[in-house]
């Protein structure tokens, strides 16, 4: 049984593969693997430990061949994997939810605070040698206290983002089609929290933070019309997936001053970042690092390895995306 790990991952994950006695291949270079090399490397594998940067589609599954039993994605999002195709072929897909919840929520707040208080603009000003004196009108931002946070998606991460709002004295509006929380008893912790419809959330929130899964139903959930519902003083934060936002519509809205700013960790055609976004001063841009803490990335690697080992050793992995193919 051979496993291919599509890019170097934290040591903790590789150690688990070694302890399980699995032989694996992993490229030495940290960058994106060349597609043809990747297709060659997966040939004959029983398992692939994939990163979110690798498309695991019919072509990759075909290249792996009939021995392939599991694709273990080192991410909670699995839009890089054609789950339908995997299911059709009886290949189990697993992911890594839970371990990155607090880290991703922290980063969402880092973006929100930095955007509201213009931290990146201040940093640029200082580095450019333009800090001449304290100024009563210099880089005035927006207060969080007393404002309203709208959280789209009430899964683990959305809720962890919402929960932090209590400490900042913000009101919280929540949207999810199911109006369900993982731990419903926690709802009471946020005395101000209220379930609302999506359009109402966009109309009322001062900060809109996006946390839905990436599915056909959430593709361009934030489109021209929804953006037009936002207050011109409101901010948009996206740490979910780029395709949840119509990026061109967002650019037009920002250019026209129809919202106050945006902070993005993800992009529609990642890693491409449109030039227009690079040129807007009220946009904060991050390179998809919301889950990037030392501890969390180790946990993600370990969980992805455990999911893969469990699947190959006949134990049900903790996080199956298509459990219907599990036969044990
Ligand atoms: C990161 O973006 C993830 O989905 O885990």
């Amino acid at each position: 049984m051979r496993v291919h790990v599509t890019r170097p991952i934290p040591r903790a994950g590789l150690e688990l593969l070694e302890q399980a006695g699995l032989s694996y291949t992993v490229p030495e270079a940290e960058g994106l693997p060349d597609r043809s090399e990747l297709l060659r490397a997966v040939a004959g594998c029983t398992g692939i430990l994939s990163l979110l940067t690798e498309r695991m589609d019919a072509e990759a599954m075909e290249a792996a061949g009939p021995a392939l039993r599991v694709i273990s994605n080192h991410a909670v999002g699995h839009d890089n994997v054609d789950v339908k195709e995997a299911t059709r072929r009886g290949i189990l897909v697993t992911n890594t939810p839970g371990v990155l919840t607090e880290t991703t929520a922290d980063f969402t707040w880092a973006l929100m605070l930095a955007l509201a208080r213009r931290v990146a603009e201040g940093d640029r000003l200082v580095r450019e040698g333009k800090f001449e004196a304290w100024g009563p009108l210099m880089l005035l931002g927006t207060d969080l206290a007393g404002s309203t946070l709208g959280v789209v998606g009430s899964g683990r991460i959305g809720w962890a983002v919402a929960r932090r709002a209590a400490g900042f004295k913000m009101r919280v509006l929540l949207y999810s089609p199911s109006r369900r929380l993982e731990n419903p008893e926690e709802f009471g912790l946020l005395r101000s929290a209220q379930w609302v419809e999506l359009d109402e959330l966009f109309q009322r929130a001062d900060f809109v933070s996006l946390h839905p899964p990436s599915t056909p139903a959430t593709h361009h959930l934030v489109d021209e019309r929804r953006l037009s519902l936002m207050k011109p003083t409101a901010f948009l934060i996206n740490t979910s997936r780029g395709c949840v936002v119509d990026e061109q519509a967002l650019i037009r809205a920002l250019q026209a001053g129809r919202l106050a700013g945006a902070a993005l960790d993800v992009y529609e055609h990642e890693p491409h970042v449109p030039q227009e976004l690079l040129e807007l001063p009220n946009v904060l841009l991050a390179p998809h690092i919301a889950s990037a803490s030392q501890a969390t990335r180790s946990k993600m690697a370990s969980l992805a390895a455990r999911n893969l080992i469990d699947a190959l050793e006949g134990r049900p992995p903790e996080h199956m995306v298509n459990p219907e193919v599990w036969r044990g």
Side-chain angles (χ1 to χ4, degrees):
M1 286 209 280
R2 190 171 64 79
V3 165
H4 184 65
V5 181
T6 61
R7 291 174 68 186
I9 58 169
R11 195 62 221 148
L14 298 178
E15 273 164 13
L16 288 179
L17 298 180
E18 285 157 23
Q19 282 160 21
L22 283 172
S23 85
Y24 66 85
T25 46
V26 57
E28 257 168 45
E30 233 198 85
L32 283 185
D34 179 77
R35 180 76 178 170
S36 52
E37 271 166 36
L38 172 80
L39 296 180
R40 262 198 308 279
V42 298
C45 281
T46 42
I48 301 176
L49 195 156
S50 55
L51 281 292
L52 62 87
T53 41
E54 274 70 69
R55 248 181 320 111
M56 288 292 125
D57 51 9
E59 184 188 39
M61 296 173 207
E62 197 58 39
L68 185 64
R69 283 163 49 198
V70 56
I71 296 173
S72 169
N73 211 39
H74 178 287
V76 58
H78 45 75
D79 51 333
N80 59 311
V81 183
D82 186 341
V83 178
K84 233 166 136 184
E85 180 64 21
T87 305
R88 200 181 66 73
R89 291 169 180 257
I91 299 166
L92 184 69
V93 179
T94 64
N95 68 340
T96 62
V99 291
L100 47 68
T101 302
E102 304 299 336
T103 306
T104 304
D106 282 351
F107 191 74
T108 304
W109 274 86
L111 290 182
M112 193 153 48
L113 285 159
L115 186 61
R117 298 302 305 277
R118 307 178 67 177
V119 174
E121 287 175 82
D123 180 83
R124 287 198 288 272
L125 181 138
V126 173
R127 286 175 200 276
E128 287 165 11
K130 293 182 183 159
F131 178 36
E132 284 157 9
W134 176 89
L137 301 176
M138 189 171 72
L139 286 178
L140 304 185
T142 302
D143 287 319
L144 270 64
S147 67
T148 299
L149 169 65
V151 177
V152 178
S154 65
R156 297 174 179 85
I157 298 171
W159 177 247
V161 168
R163 202 168 12 82
R164 282 158 171 73
F168 286 88
K169 298 190 175 168
M170 292 173 86
R171 278 181 297 277
V172 173
L173 304 177
L174 276 174
Y175 168 79
S176 95
S178 66
R179 297 202 167 188
R180 242 197 73 243
L181 290 179
E182 193 105 336
N183 303 309
E185 69 285 358
E186 284 197 359
F187 193 76
L189 293 177
L190 266 179
R191 263 175 294 150
S192 74
Q194 194 189 339
W195 292 108
V196 291
E197 290 304 325
L198 195 51
D199 284 358
E200 184 181 348
L201 184 148
F202 274 81
Q203 279 163 342
R204 288 176 55 193
D206 299 299
F207 296 86
V208 175
S209 191
L210 304 174
H211 305 284
S214 170
T215 65
T218 62
H219 180 84
H220 285 190
L221 182 97
V222 183
D223 57 6
E224 189 99 46
R225 190 187 69 78
R226 288 240 156 77
L227 287 165
S228 76
L229 300 176
M230 290 177 76
K231 304 178 199 180
T233 50
F235 298 93
L236 181 75
I237 299 104
N238 190 10
T239 55
S240 61
R241 282 293 185 266
C243 55
V244 172
V245 177
D246 178 344
E247 211 164 63
Q248 289 305 316
L250 175 64
I251 290 168
R252 286 193 296 277
L254 286 163
Q255 285 172 335
R258 280 188 270 115
L259 70 159
L264 306 173
D265 187 42
V266 287
Y267 305 88
E268 205 171 343
H269 305 288
E270 219 167 291
H272 172 69
V273 180
Q275 185 63 25
E276 293 92 328
L277 287 177
L278 299 175
E279 287 167 6
L280 284 161
N282 53 342
V283 176
L284 192 56
L285 303 168
H288 202 153
I289 53 171
S291 68
S293 78
Q294 306 261 12
T296 288
R297 283 290 164 82
S298 270
K299 287 184 201 159
M300 288 168 75
S302 301
L303 181 52
R306 266 206 316 278
N307 283 336
L308 184 135
I309 296 163
D310 284 345
L312 293 183
E313 292 185 351
R315 288 182 299 274
E318 200 179 342
H319 298 290
M320 301 192 259
V321 174
N322 55 352
E324 62 273 26
V325 307
W326 177 251
R327 284 184 294 267

